[in-house]
Amino acid sequence: MRAHGLPLPKEIDDEFITRVSRMSAVEYLHPSTQYTKLVRMQIGPLVRELADNVVSAVEADRGVLASRQQQQPKMSIYSGHDTTVGPLLAIFGDELGGSPSLNAFAGPMWPPFASSLRIELLKDSTSPYPAIQSSWAGDLADHSNELSAIPPEERTRPPNVPNSLYRWVPGQAAAASAVPFNPRATRDYYVRVWYNDRSVQLPACLDPGAHHSKLGSTVCTLDGFFKQIAHFAPSDNEVVQERRALADSQNN
């Protein structure tokens, strides 16, 4: 009612609204922070598409494909509901929007009316790249055969992020298989996530080797961003298998 400029009943105050919002978030959205498989079924295909958008933007910036450079939009807009924003916040490790300013009511909060998430792809070729490697840098290997064969919890990037992203040399028209796999080939690119009016701290990007050396830990390296969402982006086969398993469990 308040979002539409209507007065609230006198029995309902801010404390009551906060408590109900938190209870609703715990009941409906909190499982998203605990069960990776549930999130993959809920919103995994969208996470894959977001990763595709980022990869396409990087390739367009590199000029890998002229046609893609011409067609790649500067901005993509998705319209959804609070039940979309909530699971995405869980993927980004944001405690579903809990805010310390709520004091005793801090914790998971239902996304308020007109909430938004922004994912920015940034480029910085001048600032020093983190001198320290991320804790998972040794796992950024060439998985060109079948990345989806790696268990989701062990992945360092979504299965739809191609190895060609790491086989690129400046000035080259396209990535070539003869170019050695270079985990630092994406070092000019960073990602920052915003929830309403504040930047989101992705847990993976707290790693000293996974964020911008000057702008801080909310500006993730591209690999830090991929690491954060890797567990939640299913392969095509996983989408089919997990939905089939869910259907079988409901029928038994």
Side-chain angles (χ1 to χ4, degrees), residues 218-235:
T218 59
V219 180
C220 304
T221 62
L222 184 58
D223 286 324
F225 175 73
F226 285 156
K227 172 67 173 176
Q228 181 67 40
I229 67 174
H231 302 177
F232 306 100
S235 65

Side-chain angles (χ1 to χ4, degrees), residues 39-55:
V39 177
R40 283 204 303 270
M41 286 190 290
Q42 284 180 319
I43 206 167
L46 176 58
V47 177
R48 278 175 54 98
E49 187 166 338
L50 294 176
D52 277 338
N53 291 346
V54 171
V55 170

Side-chain angles (χ1 to χ4, degrees), residues 20-251:
V20 171
S21 175
R22 185 178 181 189
M23 292 169 63
S24 300
V26 170
E27 176 71 21
Y28 183 79
L29 299 174
H30 187 60
S32 297
T33 67
Q34 304 297 318
Y35 305 108
T36 303
K37 184 176 290 188
L38 175 62
V39 177
R40 283 204 303 270
M41 286 190 290
Q42 284 180 319
I43 206 167
L46 176 58
V47 177
R48 278 175 54 98
E49 187 166 338
L50 294 176
D52 277 338
N53 291 346
V54 171
V55 170
S56 295
V58 170
E59 290 181 337
D61 181 69
R62 288 173 168 178
V64 172
L65 296 175
S67 59
R68 179 170 290 185
Q69 191 172 17
Q70 295 169 0
Q71 298 172 5
Q72 179 65 27
K74 294 293 184 182
M75 180 172 63
S76 298
I77 300 176
Y78 294 82
S79 178
H81 294 276
D82 43 10
T83 50
T84 305
V85 173
L88 277 176
L89 281 173
I91 286 172
F92 295 142
D94 194 53
E95 294 294 327
L96 302 182
S99 170
S101 64
L102 294 172
N103 298 322
F105 306 116
M109 296 296 295
W110 195 270
F113 185 77
S115 287
S116 65
L117 277 164
R118 302 197 311 275
I119 302 173
E120 298 176 334
L121 177 65
L122 310 172
K123 184 178 182 181
D124 185 355
S125 303
T126 59
S127 297
Y129 193 72
I132 303 172
Q133 287 192 332
S134 65
S135 58
W136 63 86
D139 297 325
L140 276 172
D142 185 344
H143 300 302
S144 54
N145 290 331
E146 185 56 40
L147 181 64
S148 61
I150 301 173
E153 61 275 7
E154 297 178 12
R155 293 174 189 163
T156 58
R157 66 184 194 270
N160 56 317
V161 174
N163 280 306
S164 59
L165 209 64
Y166 301 89
R167 293 181 178 278
W168 180 77
V169 176
Q172 215 173 244
S177 58
V179 176
F181 186 90
N182 178 13
R184 297 171 72 85
T186 60
R187 62 183 177 271
D188 290 348
Y189 298 96
Y190 297 84
V191 173
R192 179 167 52 193
V193 178
W194 293 84
Y195 174 51
N196 294 332
D197 60 349
R198 64 179 177 84
S199 55
V200 175
Q201 177 62 71
L202 277 62
C205 302
L206 288 169
D207 188 299
H211 59 256
H212 195 281
S213 57
K214 294 182 178 179
L215 299 180
S217 58
T218 59
V219 180
C220 304
T221 62
L222 184 58
D223 286 324
F225 175 73
F226 285 156
K227 172 67 173 176
Q228 181 67 40
I229 67 174
H231 302 177
F232 306 100
S235 65
D236 292 333
N237 288 337
E238 285 168 343
V239 171
V240 173
Q241 292 170 3
E242 290 176 356
R243 288 179 177 173
R244 184 178 298 149
L246 177 64
D248 290 344
S249 66
Q250 292 174 339
N251 293 330

